[in-house]
Amino acid sequence: MNLSQLEMFNAVAETGSVSEAAKRVHRVPSNVTTRIRQLEADLGVELFIRENQRLRLSPAGYNLLNYSHQILQLVEEARDAVVGEEPKGRLHLGSLESTAAVRIPPILAKYNQSYPLIQLDLITGPSGSMFDQVLDGELAAAFIDGPVIHPAIEGRPLCDEELVLISPSQYPTITRGQDLTGQNIYAFRANCSYRRHFENWFLADHAKPGNIYEMESYHGMLACVIAGAGVAMLPKSMLMTMPGHEQVKISPMGEDWRWLTTWLIWRRGSMTPQLQLMLDILPEYKERA
């Protein structure tokens, strides 16, 4: 196993195509194919599942990809340490949609201004998806609802988010889960931590909602509530930035359910220089919502 093989392996893993990977590493496709086959022979496992001229990572390939990223990152770090260049490289981050919209823009701006040579990539999604991608090594870190108790995960709190219930303006004030028994609610997909929190709020009061309509955005939820079609739960910080928030009734959830803490999590043992620089910035922005 050598660095050239790992670079080619990463390129194929990320593009899913030998021809596209060859363009990235400036080699001919036949050379990439040969080097990948040599790597598989050296390791004694198949790193890719080959089907319909496309390549998917095998379970062994996923395991190697995490280590391969770390190895190549360490090589880059060593090179920079020797030549004395500014920090550079890439940082793949994930985030809850509301956190990305409200909480972390100043953090990302400070990071970009301080380390312009580091390429910062950000994707958004539900906590469950972000957690899985961190665990699989697809993301260096993610801002999700926490804390997360897992032996392979480390984390640091960023802020406390206040969650509120929104209902049509003429709706009675909501004080408990049973006030919404049988009512339609709007939420993200089942792997969203906020949705689980909402459902557990019902269960704790021995209440059961009516239909649960899955939405792709907070703006969609707000529009449905304004139209009188049901009730939703949103982070208050996100709600107050959205046009139309004054058209709904806002009800608190009660002290036992009101707050959730947003954490930045990363895989244990996978700290990179780029991620450490992000962690160095966080204390300046840690706050309670």
Side-chain angles (χ1 to χ4, degrees):
M1 184 189 306
N2 57 47
L3 295 179
S4 178
Q5 286 175 322
L6 292 180
E7 289 174 347
M8 293 183 192
F9 166 73
N10 282 10
V12 175
E14 292 168 3
T15 64
S17 165
V18 169
S19 59
E20 291 301 317
K23 294 176 184 177
R24 179 181 294 189
V25 298
H26 308 293
R27 302 292 183 91
V28 295
S30 60
N31 182 251
V32 172
T33 298
T34 299
R35 300 302 290 275
I36 293 297
R37 289 292 190 186
Q38 289 174 345
L39 180 58
E40 290 178 318
D42 290 344
L43 296 173
V45 295
E46 289 193 351
L47 300 172
F48 294 96
I49 299 171
R50 295 161 171 86
E51 54 183 23
N52 299 325
Q53 297 183 339
R54 296 291 295 179
L55 296 169
R56 296 189 292 114
L57 280 172
S58 69
Y62 273 112
N63 287 335
L64 178 61
L65 185 61
N66 183 40
Y67 288 105
S68 180
H69 280 149
Q70 292 182 59
I71 291 168
L72 294 177
Q73 184 62 57
L74 285 171
V75 171
E76 187 69 21
E77 180 184 352
R79 183 182 295 117
D80 290 345
V82 171
V83 300
E85 294 181 355
E86 290 184 60
K88 61 181 181 180
R90 175 175 290 183
L91 180 61
H92 295 278
L93 285 179
S95 175
L96 295 167
E97 179 183 349
S98 57
T99 304
V102 178
R103 297 296 179 190
I104 63 175
I107 297 174
L108 301 185
K110 174 68 176 293
Y111 191 89
N112 281 325
Q113 292 165 5
S114 301
Y115 312 108
L117 297 182
I118 296 179
Q119 181 177 335
L120 185 61
D121 300 325
L122 178 70
I123 64 171
T124 62
S127 282
S129 297
M130 298 293 101
F131 174 82
D132 288 342
Q133 290 183 68
V134 169
L135 202 58
D136 291 341
E138 298 174 31
L139 292 172
F143 293 95
I144 68 171
D145 169 40
V148 176
I149 309 302
H150 192 285
I153 294 294
E154 295 183 279
R156 182 176 297 179
L158 172 67
C159 65
D160 291 335
E161 283 290 356
E162 181 181 5
L163 301 174
V164 296
L165 300 166
I166 61 169
S167 55
S169 57
Q170 71 278 10
Y171 201 87
T173 300
I174 302 166
T175 60
R176 55 185 296 185
Q178 291 191 10
D179 292 339
L180 296 179
T181 294
Q183 296 296 315
N184 293 335
I185 67 172
Y186 293 85
F188 285 121
R189 298 183 297 277
N191 60 350
C192 172
S193 59
Y194 286 175
R195 172 170 169 173
R196 290 196 300 272
H197 187 76
F198 198 8
E199 291 175 336
N200 289 336
W201 177 77
F202 276 98
L203 288 173
D205 199 32
H206 306 288
K208 184 178 180 180
N211 294 321
I212 300 177
Y213 295 101
E214 295 186 351
M215 307 292 289
E216 294 297 324
S217 71
Y218 286 120
H219 291 86
M221 295 181 198
L222 178 59
C224 289
V225 173
I226 291 173
V231 176
M233 184 195 77
L234 279 71
K236 186 176 182 180
S237 62
M238 180 71 181
L239 174 65
M240 302 311 291
T241 68
M242 298 164 62
H245 70 269
E246 71 283 351
Q247 299 180 51
V248 296
K249 177 174 287 188
I250 302 174
S251 300
M253 294 198 68
E255 285 303 315
D256 290 342
W257 298 93
R258 182 179 176 185
W259 300 97
L260 283 179
T261 302
T262 300
W263 284 60
L264 179 64
I265 66 163
W266 60 92
R267 186 178 175 88
R268 189 180 302 276
S270 296
M271 180 61 62
T272 66
Q274 294 81 9
L275 178 55
Q276 184 59 61
L277 293 171
M278 173 64 71
L279 292 175
D280 292 342
I281 289 176
L282 286 191
E284 300 178 37
Y285 297 92
K286 186 177 183 298
E287 61 175 346
R288 186 179 177 94

